[in-house]
Amino acid sequence: MLEYKIYINGEFRNSSDGGRVDAVNPYDRSVFAKLAKSTIADTKSAIQAARNAFDSGIWSDKSREERSAIIKQIADKIKENSALLQELEIKESGSTFKKSKDDMFLTYRAASTFAKLALVDLSEVLPISKEGVSKNIVVHEPVGVVSAIIPWNFPLQMAMWKIAPALAAGCTIVLKPAPETSVSALELAKIIDSTDLPKGVVNIITGDAEVGEEMVTNPLVDKVAFTGSTEIGKKVMSLASGSMKNVTLELGGKSAGIILDDADLDLAVDGSAYAGYFHNGQCCVAGSRLILTNKIYDEVVERLKNKLAKMKIGNPMDKDTDIGPLVSDKQQKRVLEYIEIGKKEGARLVYGGGVPKGFETGCYVEPTLFADVDNDMRIAQEEIFGPVLAVIKAKDENDAIRIANASNFGLAGGVWSKDNDKAMKVARKLKAGTVWVNEWHLLSDSAPFGGYKQSGVGRELGLEGLKAYTETKHIHVDEILDRKKKFWYNVTVPQD
Ligand code: NAD
């Protein structure tokens, strides 16, 4: 049985009350590790360690080059340990071998990208004054102590999307992974501990809502970087407002793909299946709605059905498995409930809809396809976060855009067409933070990522994502040293 401790101030500790929690493998519901379960006292202690490390300047006063070199060291060690990290991620989350292999690379890539971005001098001199009058300089300073709270779907990648930009900006951080996927985060703590990063700069604790709420409200914290559901995001925003913390929220989605009539259907059908079913649909940017016009509707639905029949459901450790288990019993129950809701709402169940035969010992759900979905149905409006695709009929291209935008979410979207100009026009009209043309799921660490509407506040990744971990300061250096030439001479100060 594997055992893990929480990581505070450069030390691996048991929880202050000795509490432990099981890590469960959703493939067969077996317990494969025991973890220390953080208390509120542990949470406060981790925040204090991050506060002390920040205030000491041990990290924020380092040069950009020094910070970059240590972030690169973390990236390289992740690469060295990727086989172990991958195995743990598969066990804790049910991620397939193929998906988790990509995750390892993408975790490494995020750290490497921010090692490079750490070198960028974000300061600028503004052209707003004449020579000899004043210099106006804008600098970006680290925001301070960051509370980072992440979900379970891409455990290590999500961790690195918070840790790497926070470090690049000069911040210190307390990270709380989701309870379902804390094992890989605590293994990551060991990797970070083996680098030259000073003690207390990164702290990794466990726990759920109670620990999260302490992280969000604690007065020693300057910024909250949250990724998770819109429901919890709203709570986090409201709690963080008590001390007016800097907040970024990366939340849920109900992203729509539109296949235009002229699309290459071989590409668009495979791509839409990838959009909707990759990682069992447990992706914030999953293409969980697919909008088609009458002309191609029946053909696309038929092709999708055939595609799903060929997907290999299996053990996530097997290299050729396409569909593994969902992350937990809770998630399996949620998805099966939504499938029942879809049936009751009158959507046509074309494929799947239950637990696959032979996989009852794990948290599996068949890839499920609903056609004739009305965009007002709950299965078209609410984030299911499972392998359930809702196909919706549109009258024409404009109607497809209207339907795509008729959602409280606005995280991502996509359009499939052979005509790039036409696709670009549609892409510009979609109210979403990321839009793909003839692609899905590809994100760049150099491009900003985030949501419109209730899919979030702020952006991660790229220079915009780095700036999100800074405060912006304007420094006005006045070059007029003769008081009689000051604009305020004779305004308020009595003159002699
Ligand atoms: P969740 O909102 O239930 O939990 C997310 C995190 O918040 C977990 O670490 C959880 O322990 C913590 N938490 C729960 N209650 C809290 C509270 N009251 N205060 C503070 N923290 C609290 O989400 P989940 O089920 O872990 O993940 C799935 C969700 O994450 C989906 O909605 C998905 O769309 C979203 N997500 C968004 C992005 C993005 O970048 N936009 C990326 C991945 C996942």
Side-chain angles (χ1 to χ4, degrees):
M1 181 72 58
L2 298 169
E3 302 218 348
Y4 284 89
K5 294 180 177 176
I6 49 180
Y7 183 57
I8 299 174
N9 204 26
E11 289 166 11
F12 289 91
R13 300 186 189 169
N14 287 317
S15 99
S16 57
D17 67 358
R20 298 212 298 173
V21 65
D22 293 340
V24 178
N25 183 342
Y27 169 60
D28 55 7
R29 298 184 169 96
S30 61
V31 174
F32 71 97
K34 297 220 175 261
L35 320 175
K37 183 171 185 278
S38 303
T39 60
I40 295 297
D42 296 323
T43 312
K44 287 188 167 148
S45 157
I47 293 170
Q48 187 67 58
R51 182 80 260 165
N52 295 347
F54 185 77
D55 293 345
S56 73
I58 197 168
W59 183 245
S60 56
D61 287 351
K62 283 204 188 308
S63 68
R64 290 195 294 273
E65 289 72 19
E66 286 170 317
R67 291 208 291 256
S68 168
I70 293 178
I71 302 169
K72 184 71 174 85
Q73 210 187 0
I74 295 174
D76 291 342
K77 294 221 170 199
I78 287 169
K79 197 177 192 179
E80 267 169 43
N81 289 281
S82 62
L84 172 61
L85 290 170
Q86 185 187 358
E87 185 188 332
L88 295 174
E89 188 179 291
I90 295 172
K91 280 189 177 156
E92 68 186 355
S93 71
S95 295
T96 59
F97 186 91
K98 290 190 262 193
K99 178 262 183 188
S100 57
K101 194 163 174 38
D102 276 356
D103 275 0
M104 296 311 122
F105 169 69
L106 294 171
T107 305
Y108 160 78
R109 194 185 72 177
S112 301
T113 303
F114 278 99
K116 286 191 198 123
L117 290 177
L119 295 169
V120 177
D121 181 0
L122 295 171
S123 60
E124 53 179 324
V125 179
L126 300 178
I128 60 170
S129 200
K130 285 192 208 138
E131 187 111 350
V133 177
S134 68
K135 270 203 188 78
N136 289 270
I137 303 154
V138 176
V139 294
H140 291 268
E141 296 182 342
V143 67
V145 174
V146 176
S147 275
I149 300 177
I150 55 170
W152 42 257
N153 55 346
F154 292 83
L156 286 161
Q157 216 185 315
M158 291 295 107
M160 206 40 65
W161 280 21
K162 305 285 187 232
I163 293 173
L167 293 183
C171 297
T172 60
I173 181 165
V174 177
L175 175 88
K176 190 197 81 59
E180 295 84 350
T181 52
S182 299
V183 170
S184 59
L186 292 174
E187 192 62 41
L188 178 66
K190 292 186 194 166
I191 289 173
I192 290 173
D193 190 64
S194 71
T195 67
D196 296 325
L197 192 75
K199 286 184 194 316
V201 175
V202 172
N203 306 273
I204 302 184
I205 58 175
T206 56
D208 200 358
E210 204 190 353
V211 166
E213 290 188 13
E214 177 63 30
M215 291 171 71
V216 170
T217 50
N218 190 297
L220 301 184
V221 170
D222 300 297
K223 177 187 170 81
V224 175
F226 175 84
T227 299
S229 62
T230 294
E231 184 195 345
I232 305 293
K234 286 180 185 175
K235 200 163 186 185
V236 164
M237 191 172 187
S238 139
L239 288 171
S241 71
S243 45
M244 206 55 85
K245 296 192 196 310
N246 174 320
V247 174
T248 38
L249 301 170
E250 298 293 349
L251 308 176
K254 194 74 193 178
S255 302
I258 299 175
I259 304 184
L260 298 182
D261 291 350
D262 75 327
D264 170 347
L265 289 192
D266 289 340
L267 174 73
V269 170
D270 276 8
S272 299
Y274 171 58
Y277 298 99
F278 169 61
H279 194 29
N280 264 321
Q282 300 170 121
C283 307
C284 52
V285 294
S288 50
R289 290 183 296 152
L290 180 63
I291 306 174
L292 309 167
T293 63
N294 213 7
K295 204 170 156 194
I296 54 171
Y297 189 86
D298 290 336
E299 183 178 353
V300 171
V301 170
E302 190 57 26
R303 284 191 185 211
L304 272 171
K305 181 181 159 189
N306 296 337
K307 191 108 301 204
L308 298 191
K310 289 187 191 138
M311 281 185 171
K312 186 171 182 297
I313 302 177
N315 183 335
M317 286 286 183
D318 293 344
K319 291 189 178 157
D320 58 349
T321 292
D322 299 311
I323 301 277
L326 302 189
V327 70
S328 62
D329 281 326
K330 187 175 149 201
Q331 196 63 15
Q332 185 194 39
K333 185 166 172 273
R334 174 189 167 93
V335 174
L336 292 172
E337 277 170 12
Y338 267 109
I339 292 171
E340 288 313 305
I341 290 170
K343 287 193 224 163
K344 283 200 191 108
E345 286 179 312
R348 175 162 59 96
L349 181 65
V350 176
Y351 190 86
V355 176
K357 289 207 170 51
F359 292 92
E360 293 79 3
T361 48
C363 306
Y364 284 80
V365 174
E366 289 173 300
T368 298
L369 180 65
F370 277 113
D372 306 345
V373 175
D374 185 303
N375 196 51
D376 291 333
M377 290 178 182
R378 285 183 64 191
I379 59 162
Q381 287 297 319
E382 297 174 20
E383 187 183 44
I384 300 173
F385 225 55
V388 183
L389 178 59
V391 183
I392 303 169
K393 198 180 278 181
K395 290 193 207 86
D396 54 27
E397 194 178 303
N398 283 336
D399 195 38
I401 295 166
R402 179 193 64 76
I403 294 169
N405 288 334
S407 168
N408 285 335
F409 296 109
L411 192 58
V415 49
W416 303 88
S417 167
K418 283 188 199 140
D419 181 340
N420 258 354
D421 291 340
K422 200 156 110 181
M424 269 304 286
K425 281 190 193 136
V426 176
R428 292 297 298 266
K429 286 185 182 160
L430 293 179
K431 294 192 189 334
T434 299
V435 178
W436 290 281
V437 173
N438 295 321
E439 190 47 276
W440 209 281
H441 285 301
L442 272 190
L443 296 173
S444 161
D445 296 324
S446 306
F449 173 68
Y452 282 33
K453 300 192 257 181
Q454 293 189 25
S455 286
V457 174
R459 292 292 179 270
E460 286 195 296
L461 304 180
L463 275 180
E464 207 172 329
L466 178 59
K467 284 183 187 166
Y469 287 85
T470 65
E471 285 286 7
T472 309
K473 181 185 282 178
H474 167 207
I475 304 177
H476 172 114
V477 182
D478 217 90
E479 293 179 325
I480 300 173
L481 299 180
D482 176 349
R483 73 187 174 105
K484 290 190 177 164
K485 289 189 180 156
K486 292 285 188 190
F487 86 93
W488 42 261
Y489 188 73
N490 279 334
V491 178
T492 47
V493 183
Q495 303 307 325
D496 27 71

